[in-house]
Amino acid sequence: MTSLQPITITTSTPAWLPQSLLDRIKDRHIHFRFSKAERKVFRKRKAMPVSEWCERHRVVTMSSLPGPWKNEVAHYLVGIMDASFFPSVREISACASPQSGKSEAVNNCIAYAADRAPGPALYVYPDELTARENCQDRITPMFTNSPRLRELMSGRDDDAGALKLKLASMPIYMAWSRSVSRLANKPCRYVVFDETDKYQTSNQAETDPISLGEARVTTFRWSSRIWKISSPTVESGYIWQAMLAAQVIFEYVAVCPHCQGHQVMIFGGPESPGGIKWPEDERDPDIIELRELAWYECEHCQAHWSDYQRDKAVRTGYWRAKDGGRELFAYLEAERPRKIAFHLPSWLSTFVSLSKVAAAYLRCKPDGKNLDRNAHKNFCNRYKAEPWLEHHQEREEDKILALRDDRPRGLVPAGNQVACLLGTADTQDNGFYYKVRAWGYGMEQESWLVREGFVDTFEALEQVFWQDEYRDASGRKYVLHFCAIDAMGHRTKEVYDWCRVRKGRIV
């Protein structure tokens, strides 16, 4: 119905009206028209997922591929966007590598909300400069460059500020991690935490910025949405902890363009089946990256995927619950979770070549042996989208040396902690290896080495066990209460004869 076509309503004449009133009614036809705004309000719009809405109305500006939004460029973002508005979902976390499109995906969700489900929105950035730049360079242009979203702007000069965008349907505020006042005084339906692992805590006696931002959605209990997106840093970082706290973590499954085998893409490495590979005789990361020598090996048919085939495998893929669980929306329908998370490594992105990932890995050990700590941290955070875990390999001898004290050889530990001295001997063909240890009290006795060595005769062993004196630092004298000697395998008869004469002293 257009504005030129009026709506006509014909009224019937009640029989009970007196004739005097009936004579006054000459025209019982009422003609009126709905205005454009009224028709827009009354029209029932067909439900539409975020991904479909974006392809119709979103225009990208700051991108290597400017123009209308296309889901095929980063197909893995479709599931994240559509799941964000599933009825039960309230919190969405995305632990992703840099420049994977995660921020644009959330921007799409806010634009969709402004058009379809308006409510006050809050973006939280690491610092004020980043908040201002994103408002001016990304958020405001997102509305001014889209014909559909442009209708939501009033056109007044003060509606598009440096830290606020006032739309006809909703306001959008900008805040940063150290700004307590901007985080604590606005009720919001939508809150976006961008690059959470770069947040700084306020010097004031306030809680962390995540908790302050989450408190903004209290009054929108049944319709709020919170997004947490960032590349990870360390295991205790905000984004990694948010992902672990989710009810489910989704991983992306790619479909091999050769055998149609389904698989979660992994880095793998040169020795594992599947994953990113490169020529065995080439370890120069610069050559591998410049010549694009790396490929991805299908775990099912061992086919080699080029970057183009990787992109094709990702475009036909889907999200599923981690460790072989159900597909994304099958899980959401069955379990109705409130907190969900997505893990997004760099090799899923069409903007990151497989050779670049391989080169970053090889730079972790530039000489092929010693690990470069900074390069390894960069590879874990930026490419694997995993936190940096510093590993220390402790040798067994290091553990033993850490238990030693500074006593000289032959001195018993001081104090009342020693209960007795015990001696042991290991028989060899040419002599005896011996030890004298001090033992403490209790069921879990602690022991200390007092003396050890090698003697070649029984007489010398007797000297060690029963004739030499053992004292502590205060001069207190100790004697060996028991001794044990190995009698099997070497000089068995001699050992038995020696023990028989010293009955009660030898075990």
Side-chain angles (χ1 to χ4, degrees), residues 43-114:
R43 184 184 298 121
K44 183 179 180 180
R45 292 186 290 183
K46 180 182 178 182
M48 182 186 302
V50 182
S51 57
E52 182 181 341
W53 182 94
C54 292
E55 289 201 312
R56 292 190 182 187
H57 304 299
R58 178 72 204 281
V59 178
V60 182
T61 53
M62 290 188 64
S63 171
S64 59
L65 299 172
W69 177 272
K70 296 181 179 179
N71 289 327
E72 64 179 13
V73 174
H75 188 264
Y76 48 81
L77 297 178
V78 171
I80 298 176
M81 294 187 294
D82 292 346
S84 294
F85 285 88
F86 188 81
S88 69
V89 173
R90 293 291 174 267
E91 183 177 311
I92 307 94
S93 302
C95 180
S97 59
Q99 303 302 312
S100 56
K102 58 186 183 297
S103 294
E104 287 298 334
V106 177
N107 288 342
N108 288 345
C109 292
I110 296 298
Y112 172 86

Side-chain angles (χ1 to χ4, degrees), residues 89-294:
V89 173
R90 293 291 174 267
E91 183 177 311
I92 307 94
S93 302
C95 180
S97 59
Q99 303 302 312
S100 56
K102 58 186 183 297
S103 294
E104 287 298 334
V106 177
N107 288 342
N108 288 345
C109 292
I110 296 298
Y112 172 86
D115 183 42
R116 292 276 178 147
L122 174 69
Y123 279 88
V124 183
Y125 292 101
D127 53 71
E128 183 178 358
L129 179 60
T130 304
R132 291 180 180 274
E133 289 178 344
N134 275 274
C135 184
Q136 296 173 3
D137 300 338
R138 290 180 178 272
I139 308 302
T140 300
M142 177 172 68
F143 286 88
T144 57
N145 293 329
S146 166
R148 181 58 168 264
L149 296 175
R150 196 182 305 126
E151 297 178 358
L152 302 177
M153 303 187 69
S154 67
R156 292 190 293 268
D157 293 338
D158 60 343
D159 282 355
L163 292 172
K164 178 181 177 182
L165 184 62
K166 187 175 181 181
L167 305 174
S169 58
M170 58 185 268
I172 301 177
Y173 304 100
M174 307 295 149
W176 53 96
S177 59
R178 294 178 65 89
S179 174
V180 174
S181 60
R182 296 195 66 85
L183 285 170
N185 65 352
K186 304 174 185 68
C188 294
R189 181 178 180 181
Y190 305 106
V191 177
V192 178
F193 296 101
D194 199 347
E195 292 300 337
T196 60
D197 279 28
K198 296 180 176 62
Y199 284 1
Q200 298 176 353
T201 305
S202 171
N203 292 327
Q204 302 185 36
E206 294 282 351
T207 185
D208 63 276
I210 299 289
S211 299
L212 285 172
E214 288 176 334
R216 299 306 94 218
V217 302
T218 303
T219 55
F220 291 91
R221 178 182 178 186
W222 305 112
S223 61
S224 64
R225 295 291 187 281
I226 295 176
W227 290 270
K228 298 176 181 179
I229 56 175
S230 181
S231 52
T233 50
V234 294
E235 198 171 20
S236 59
Y238 283 128
I239 194 61
W240 193 254
Q241 291 302 311
M243 190 172 76
L244 296 180
Q247 293 169 262
V248 58
I249 301 174
F250 292 103
E251 57 188 2
Y252 198 78
V253 178
V255 180
C256 177
H258 299 278
C259 68
Q260 306 304 309
H262 295 208
Q263 58 204 283
V264 175
M265 292 182 66
I266 59 172
F267 172 72
E271 299 178 357
S272 64
I276 298 176
K277 309 291 183 183
W278 55 90
E280 294 182 0
D281 57 349
E282 184 57 75
R283 290 194 57 84
D284 189 326
D286 295 328
I287 293 177
I288 289 177
E289 185 174 356
L290 292 173
R291 297 182 183 178
E292 297 188 343
L293 301 179

Side-chain angles (χ1 to χ4, degrees), residues 261-373:
H262 295 208
Q263 58 204 283
V264 175
M265 292 182 66
I266 59 172
F267 172 72
E271 299 178 357
S272 64
I276 298 176
K277 309 291 183 183
W278 55 90
E280 294 182 0
D281 57 349
E282 184 57 75
R283 290 194 57 84
D284 189 326
D286 295 328
I287 293 177
I288 289 177
E289 185 174 356
L290 292 173
R291 297 182 183 178
E292 297 188 343
L293 301 179
W295 66 88
Y296 191 89
E297 182 180 278
C298 173
E299 66 180 48
H300 301 290
C301 66
Q302 285 71 56
H304 291 187
W305 302 353
S306 63
D307 286 341
Y308 169 77
Q309 292 170 323
R310 181 273 313 270
D311 296 342
K312 186 177 180 180
V314 172
R315 280 197 299 270
T316 54
Y318 57 93
W319 290 100
R320 75 177 183 193
K322 196 173 182 179
D323 300 326
R326 284 166 288 186
E327 185 270 335
L328 172 60
F329 281 95
Y331 184 95
L332 296 180
E333 290 286 354
E335 303 297 333
R336 317 292 290 186
R338 293 180 60 84
K339 293 185 178 182
I340 62 176
F342 298 87
H343 186 239
L344 185 57
S346 64
W347 45 80
L348 293 174
S349 174
T350 187
F351 302 109
V352 180
S353 72
L354 298 170
S355 299
K356 189 175 184 67
V357 179
Y361 172 78
L362 290 172
R363 291 189 180 102
C364 295
K365 293 184 177 180
D367 59 358
K369 297 180 181 179
N370 299 311
L371 184 68
D372 184 322
R373 181 178 178 274

Side-chain angles (χ1 to χ4, degrees), residues 360-392:
Y361 172 78
L362 290 172
R363 291 189 180 102
C364 295
K365 293 184 177 180
D367 59 358
K369 297 180 181 179
N370 299 311
L371 184 68
D372 184 322
R373 181 178 178 274
N374 290 330
H376 190 209
K377 183 177 181 179
N378 177 67
F379 177 72
C380 289
N381 293 163
R382 293 191 59 190
Y383 294 93
K384 295 182 73 175
E386 293 179 357
W388 161 251
L389 300 174
E390 191 162 9
H391 297 282
H392 295 283

Side-chain angles (χ1 to χ4, degrees), residues 27 47 66 69 91 113-114 228 232 274 279 285 347 360 398 422 435 444 446:
D27 189 1
W69 177 272
E91 183 177 311
K228 298 176 181 179
W347 45 80
D398 293 335
L422 300 181
K435 285 184 181 180
E444 298 180 359
E446 188 175 2

